[in-house]
Amino acid sequence: MEGLRGSSTTANPPPPPPLHTVQLMRRVPFNRLFALVYTVAILALFYLHARNLYYSTSLLSFFITLCLLISDLALAFMWTTAQALHLRQIRRKQFPENLNKFIQRNDYPSLDVFICTADPYKEPPISVVNTALSVMAYDYPTEKLSVYVSDDGGSVLTLFAFTEAAKFASHWLPFCSKNNIKERNPKAFFESNYFCFPESEIMKTMYESMKGRVETVVERGKVEDEYITCDEERQVFSKWTDQFTRQNHPTVIQVLLDNSKDKDISGHHLPNLVYCSREKSKASHHHFKAGALNALIRISAVMTNAPIILSLDCDTYSNDPQTPERVLCYFWDPEVRATYGFIQFPQLFKGLNKTDIYAGQFKRLFQIHPPGLDGLRGGNFYGTGGFFSRRVFFGTPSTMSPPELPQLNPYHVVNKPIQSQEVLALAHQVSGCHFEKDTDWGIKKGLRYGSLVEDTYTSYRLHCEGWRSVFCNPERPAFYGEAPISLIDVMNQQKRWTVGLLQMVFSEYSPITYGLRHNGLMSHGYSQIAFWPIWPIPITVYAFLPQLALLNNLSIFPQVKSPWFLLYAFLFLGAYTQDLIEFVLANGTVQMWWNDQRMWIIRGLSSFMFGFLEFILNSLGISTTGFNVTNKAVDDELSKRYEKGLFEFGVASPMFVPLVTAALMNLFSFGWGLSEIVKGKRSMEGVEIQMLLSAFAVVNSWPVYEAMALRSDNGRMKAKTSVIGIGLMWVMYAAGSFILK
């Protein structure tokens, strides 16, 4: 007994409570087993294609088999890359309530928040203001928090909106803190049940007043004297002269709130709020969002140089004031801090209709695949919702090059006031449009240039350099964004992504070459994203070739009684069933999944196809539209149609033409095949798969038929688009009949 008591007094103390945990998902063993079985099925399919090629009796059968083989190779490659993201899916959990066991609040590291906007008409300033206010109200020491707003459009309207936001913040921040409000985006808060707080009506009146002033100024297109309240504001707004244009203007850096001086109505310090518009000139090349973020990295380095940086899109607002503490659960862990470069939160959206007709959630990209990439080397950066360790933007210790200025290094300590002449002069210097000339910025430092998808490209490069990352997906979403509610905006966004992904694929850092040398599975995971542009190959072939063959009484697939038919059935149903299960497990519904796979087909025939064409033209030196900002302004009529689940085809766009052509071709072939069977002129034997493919396409194409023939609203298909689509269908039918007969 004495011995037992003695051992108890000398026992090791209990371990400290965890800050975070990680575990393998239960579905992983099943995913691995399914991947093995499905791989065998794919090999069997390629054996069938090889045999058919070898025993081809005519040039026509050889051509058809070759087309199917190329299509199935593309499908197999994309399936294989997706499986790399299913082999080691992990789930993480954070315990911010344990943080006080390791760190006191006054020892929290500083945090710099970057918010990017570019066009006050496509990205309404009041929406950007709401985003900024939501993070300014973080449950974080305000003296450690700085918010930088990058206005790449250089608009006086955006600056005016933030002068108003600075005034409103002195009331909004203490209101949120006093009442422990979770929803700290004013717009989202006032749209919820906010009446339980006594000051709510007063706050709403103040918010609506601010919103009214901002929207009036935006509508008028200028800041008139009645909205200028002091000489300091007049001096700032006077910088916008007739020579000040979007593409030709000097640097504008305006400190709207200084946490060393400015306090809220309760006497507490406010966070820093800084408006920045980098210098631009017509003679200089400007990298779009990546260039703006790199300018912010340098500007913030000389002004505050916080060790942690949060990057947000202008419409991605905070939904959880404790998010920075979740981040500290990782960055305060010595093991994580040494090798992990950033913490990425999923991009989630509000404002989607009930069934998400445009697949705006991008569940695979933002929710299903990231846990798998996290199990390899870490989730990728989405351009928003990512907390970075500043040092990752300056290279690894072995590759870090000397700074252009002593202040441009992640370990520089800013010991001068944010509004001192020296600090502001340096900030203007590093934001100049010629500052990056002959430097490593965009190559080895900051966000990497060379692709329109600078977010994915940069995180991929960082992972190749040895950095790891974390995909953090807490129960309460950390951020919410806004997805486009117009089909043409969705397509233009996807087209821009396609161009950027192709730039990534054909660069010297391509995932299938450079990436494989660093981590094979990680490279496969990034290839799943980077090779989206090859989807048009199988989608186009299966949208037209089996249908043209059916119209010409040509069987190109095995009959139902053939064992090979079971192979096709397994491949189709297996892939779709796995996808459906993953989608539903990610809190989706069957109807959402159906719309998601429909949009996969639509994107393949429009955005990806036209993006591929634009990339080729750009590569040949033929200029195209380049970077386009996605429209985030809301049209009432369009919004009503979206809420009803109606697709928006009211714009005469060439991207709609392939959709019309494919929809009509499948309807025509299915109707013709069905009529031939009903008339007894032929049986289903030998064309079962072709009929099923046509029927599947017809069901998916219902929104196109509806827009062409059944709707009279402004979202209906333009007659010109329908006529061109019909004409192309007949041309393809005539050409196919000539070739296939």
Side-chain angles (χ1 to χ4, degrees), residues 172-230:
W172 177 248
L173 270 59
F175 170 73
C176 292
S177 178
K178 175 184 176 183
N179 297 294
N180 194 26
I181 291 169
K182 295 292 185 183
E183 192 75 80
R184 299 192 178 182
N185 171 342
K187 178 178 181 292
F189 174 75
F190 292 124
E191 287 177 350
S192 64
N193 183 17
Y194 62 90
F195 295 102
C196 54
F197 304 110
E199 309 99 323
S200 294
E201 283 298 336
I202 298 173
M203 292 305 305
K204 184 178 182 183
T205 301
M206 293 180 62
Y207 172 73
E208 291 295 338
S209 177
M210 176 193 71
K211 178 183 176 184
R213 290 192 297 274
V214 170
E215 291 181 340
T216 300
V217 165
V218 172
E219 185 179 349
R220 294 179 181 178
K222 60 181 179 179
V223 183
E224 296 177 333
D225 288 343
E226 63 182 291
Y227 294 106
I228 300 176
T229 59
C230 63

Side-chain angles (χ1 to χ4, degrees), residues 600-675:
W600 169 73
I601 297 172
I602 289 175
R603 291 195 296 265
L605 290 171
S606 57
S607 311
F608 297 159
M609 185 184 294
F610 279 81
F612 201 101
L613 177 62
E614 183 171 318
F615 171 76
I616 293 173
L617 292 175
N618 288 341
S619 301
L620 296 174
I622 302 172
S623 178
T624 56
T625 54
F627 181 84
N628 294 312
V629 177
T630 303
N631 185 17
K632 298 180 177 73
V634 178
D635 175 86
D636 288 341
E637 291 301 318
L638 185 152
S639 182
K640 290 177 182 177
R641 291 194 292 271
Y642 175 74
E643 286 300 319
K644 293 178 181 177
L646 297 174
F647 275 65
E648 195 69 24
F649 292 102
V651 178
S653 170
M655 283 196 283
F656 292 148
V657 173
L659 301 181
V660 173
T661 306
L664 293 175
M665 179 66 74
N666 280 273
L667 182 63
F668 182 41
S669 63
F670 180 75
W672 184 86
L674 193 62
S675 66

Side-chain angles (χ1 to χ4, degrees), residues 360-601:
Q361 297 179 84
F362 286 99
K363 274 195 175 290
R364 293 178 197 84
L365 180 63
F366 297 141
Q367 298 176 55
I368 296 173
H369 288 162
L373 200 56
D374 196 14
L376 303 177
R377 186 160 283 183
N380 61 303
F381 176 45
Y382 305 134
T384 187
F387 287 80
F388 285 83
S389 172
R390 183 180 288 271
R391 62 201 174 100
V392 305
F393 292 123
F394 293 85
T396 59
S398 60
T399 63
M400 188 179 296
S401 57
E404 296 78 13
L405 295 170
Q407 296 83 354
L408 287 183
N409 76 74
Y411 308 109
H412 166 66
V413 177
V414 179
N415 53 13
K416 292 183 174 64
I418 195 173
Q419 296 196 70
S420 68
Q421 288 187 353
E422 183 179 344
V423 167
L424 289 175
L426 278 172
H428 280 76
Q429 181 182 347
V430 299
S431 63
C433 58
H434 296 290
F435 185 85
E436 293 184 359
K437 187 177 180 180
D438 300 324
T439 72
D440 286 337
W441 284 94
I443 303 170
K444 295 180 180 179
K445 292 181 180 180
L447 274 81
R448 308 306 198 255
Y449 300 150
S451 171
L452 285 178
V453 287
E454 73 291 320
D455 43 13
T456 296
Y457 186 56
T458 297
S459 61
Y460 160 70
R461 292 276 302 275
L462 291 175
H463 282 141
C464 287
E465 290 171 13
W467 295 106
R468 300 181 68 88
S469 63
V470 166
F471 177 67
C472 186
N473 188 14
E475 289 186 16
R476 180 179 177 88
F479 301 100
Y480 275 122
E482 295 179 7
I485 62 172
S486 165
L487 183 57
I488 193 62
D489 283 339
V490 172
M491 288 179 166
N492 282 329
Q493 181 188 61
Q494 294 291 296
K495 184 179 72 169
R496 184 176 77 245
W497 290 0
T498 301
V499 175
L501 292 172
L502 287 168
Q503 291 168 340
M504 179 175 169
V505 166
F506 289 100
S507 72
E508 62 178 304
Y509 300 102
S510 175
I512 58 173
T513 54
Y514 184 82
L516 282 175
R517 299 202 299 267
H518 292 83
N519 187 299
L521 281 177
M522 180 208 72
S523 174
H524 264 66
Y526 271 103
S527 293
Q528 164 60 209
I529 305 169
F531 282 89
W532 275 7
I534 72 171
W535 281 119
I537 297 172
I539 291 175
T540 302
V541 168
Y542 279 103
F544 292 102
L545 183 59
Q547 293 75 8
L548 287 170
L550 178 63
L551 290 169
N552 289 277
N553 292 308
L554 190 63
S555 175
I556 63 173
F557 293 111
Q559 300 178 10
V560 171
K561 60 186 179 183
S562 168
W564 293 110
F565 178 85
L566 297 177
L567 175 65
Y568 273 91
F570 172 75
L571 288 170
F572 179 85
L573 294 176
Y576 268 80
T577 301
Q578 183 191 35
D579 191 58
L580 173 60
I581 291 172
E582 291 278 358
F583 199 93
V584 172
L585 288 175
N587 298 317
T589 65
V590 174
Q591 183 62 52
M592 285 181 179
W593 171 81
W594 176 262
N595 288 331
D596 187 279
Q597 67 83 30
R598 170 190 283 153
M599 281 301 300
W600 169 73
I601 297 172

Side-chain angles (χ1 to χ4, degrees), residues 322-344:
Q322 277 197 312
T323 297
E325 293 188 324
R326 293 190 181 279
V327 172
L328 290 185
C329 288
Y330 294 104
F331 278 145
W332 204 254
D333 182 332
E335 288 187 24
V336 172
R337 190 163 61 240
T339 56
Y340 283 67
F342 63 94
I343 316 296
Q344 177 65 55

